[in-house]
Amino acid sequence: MSELTDENLFKQAMQGVKPFAQNHYVPPRKEKVKKQYLRDVRETEDALFFFSDEYEPLLNDEEKVKYLRAGEDSHLLKQLRRGDFSPQIFLDLHGLTQKDAKLELASLLLACEREHLYCASIMTGYGTFTLKRQIPRWLVQHPKVRALHQAPKEWGGDAAILVLLDD
């Protein structure tokens, strides 16, 4: 009597089975996903390049947050303050660390560029005022930012910043 090993049991089970010919195998393509992922990582790193923690712009911390890029019409600040521009996208940074907030801010600016959005509202909250002070310092370093101003009450008031971007 033959021994009942796994190999013998398999041979017995496969008796009479006709093998079929497989001429080719097409593996699933993962390169597109990988390329897209690498492109997204590169774009985020490029956007983070603009945000230095060491840079100290001439912003008055005691007044309402405001900034106007050189060469822009000063009327833009007045329009932002009055709420003439409606935000097309909102970013809420409540409870995030500075590192996470920087990544989210970079992602927001990339999304605005891809979707051709020109006005964004960034909710910094109150908390320890860390993000409220740091976000404008990062934003003024980015070449797409035309102007920023503390948001009017209907768009978040003291806890938010309206940003006007190049389209």
Side-chain angles (χ1 to χ4, degrees):
M1 187 173 227
S2 67
E3 195 174 316
L4 293 176
T5 64
D6 288 342
E7 185 178 341
N8 288 338
L9 287 173
F10 180 75
K11 285 180 181 178
Q12 283 178 356
M14 293 292 115
Q15 267 183 335
V17 174
K18 181 182 172 189
F20 61 92
Q22 183 173 355
N23 295 338
H24 62 281
Y25 170 73
V26 179
R29 295 185 59 103
K30 294 183 180 180
E31 290 180 22
K32 287 184 180 178
V33 174
K34 187 176 181 180
K35 285 181 183 177
Q36 182 64 38
Y37 172 76
L38 291 174
R39 183 180 303 124
D40 290 344
V41 167
R42 195 175 324 112
E43 285 178 353
T44 302
E45 287 174 352
D46 289 348
L48 285 175
F49 171 76
F50 294 110
F51 304 141
S52 169
D53 292 329
E54 309 300 319
Y55 180 70
E56 285 292 328
L58 295 173
L59 294 173
N60 190 346
D61 288 337
E62 295 172 14
E63 292 182 9
K64 293 184 181 208
V65 176
K66 60 183 172 184
Y67 163 78
L68 183 66
R69 183 171 65 189
E72 294 289 342
D73 184 9
S74 61
H75 189 64
L76 284 177
L77 280 179
K78 188 175 185 179
Q79 289 176 303
L80 278 173
R81 181 178 46 82
R82 288 190 313 212
D84 291 349
F85 294 102
S86 299
Q88 298 167 298
I89 190 168
F90 293 85
L91 175 63
D92 189 354
L93 299 175
H94 286 98
L96 295 182
T97 63
Q98 274 193 335
K99 181 181 178 183
D100 292 339
K102 189 187 282 191
L103 286 171
E104 289 297 322
L105 190 60
S107 297
L108 171 80
L109 293 172
L110 283 173
C112 288
E113 188 174 342
R114 285 183 184 154
E115 300 297 322
H116 303 288
L117 305 176
Y118 64 89
C119 189
S121 176
I122 302 169
M123 301 291 293
T124 59
Y126 296 107
T128 61
F129 289 97
T130 305
L131 289 180
K132 186 167 176 58
R133 279 191 295 268
Q134 191 61 43
I135 295 298
R137 290 183 175 130
W138 288 332
L139 285 171
V140 300
Q141 298 174 52
H142 200 279
K144 292 281 185 185
V145 174
R146 295 174 63 193
L148 62 92
H149 200 285
Q150 183 175 314
K153 288 196 186 280
E154 68 261 21
W155 302 120
D158 293 345
I161 299 170
L162 280 185
V163 182
L164 193 61
L165 304 162
D166 281 337
D167 189 23

